[in-house]
Amino acid sequence: MKNTKKITTVKKKAWTEFSKYIRTRDTKPQWPEGRIGTCVTCKRPYEFKKLQAGHFIPGRMNSVLFNESIVFAQCYHCNVGLKSNPREYDKFMRTKYTEKEIQSFDKLPYIIKKYIYQDYIDIAQEYKKKTQALLDKENDLS
Ligand SMILES: [Zn+2]
């Protein structure tokens, strides 16, 4: 029982870092507001903290949850209220990926991916690094 609790904690931490990375990738610093990004489905601008990392493919199985190719910044209304706003999400994905790539994403929910405790720690560390790399790159450009 104690172990189950622990894996939930590291999984949550992995998600927090992954979500931060997605929202950093999909926003740009704008003075003085801070980071601003466009919701991928309603195209409205939002502050970093008002954006969520929204999935193109529903379900939170591991093959889908931490897949950065199918996760983009979305507002709360589109992600939660409109349950990811699938029709608009589909249109966006088709501007970014080929039909063949979309078809491969559709198969993701059927792939069983088992993560152990250490995998979540690794994911958290990997995405923390990737977020920092994005921020470092921005600082080099300015
Ligand atoms: Zn939206």
Side-chain angles (χ1 to χ4, degrees):
M1 195 62 209
K2 208 178 170 193
N3 241 343
T4 319
K5 251 188 191 170
K6 270 190 182 168
I7 203 155
T8 316
T9 310
V10 286
K11 188 174 182 177
K12 210 174 157 191
K13 173 80 180 147
W15 172 254
T16 302
E17 292 301 336
F18 180 80
S19 168
K20 254 189 223 168
Y21 168 75
I22 297 295
R23 289 176 296 139
T24 304
R25 183 196 68 191
D26 295 351
T27 54
K28 294 266 171 295
Q30 270 180 42
W31 192 85
E33 298 97 330
R35 302 191 72 84
I36 305 281
T38 308
C39 168
V40 84
T41 43
C42 70
K43 317 293 182 200
R44 293 191 182 103
Y46 289 93
E47 288 170 46
F48 177 87
K49 59 174 187 279
K50 295 236 167 110
L51 286 165
Q52 302 188 330
H55 288 80
F56 172 57
I57 305 286
R60 287 175 69 88
M61 60 291 285
N62 284 331
S63 54
V64 167
L65 190 60
F66 298 109
N67 188 331
E68 58 182 87
S69 302
I70 54 157
V71 184
F72 294 87
Q74 258 193 326
C75 73
Y76 175 82
H77 181 66
C78 287
N79 190 28
V80 179
L82 299 176
K83 295 189 169 66
S84 94
N85 202 348
R87 287 177 63 83
E88 290 303 321
Y89 215 144
D90 192 65
K91 281 185 207 162
F92 163 75
M93 291 298 274
R94 283 170 199 285
T95 66
K96 223 177 151 59
Y97 296 106
T98 64
E99 181 60 36
K100 213 178 156 190
E101 287 169 320
I102 305 260
Q103 282 175 7
S104 73
F105 297 149
D106 286 337
K107 291 187 190 121
L108 286 171
Y110 308 101
I111 298 168
I112 307 296
K113 223 178 189 181
K114 283 212 156 84
Y115 285 154
I116 59 164
Y117 188 85
Q118 189 59 41
D119 292 323
Y120 292 118
I121 292 177
D122 293 346
I123 291 168
Q125 278 175 351
E126 181 195 343
Y127 280 98
K128 198 175 182 160
K129 269 188 211 154
K130 286 182 83 157
T131 302
Q132 195 52 53
L134 285 178
L135 296 172
D136 290 347
K137 206 175 158 194
E138 274 175 10
N139 287 333
D140 284 348
L141 295 174
S142 60

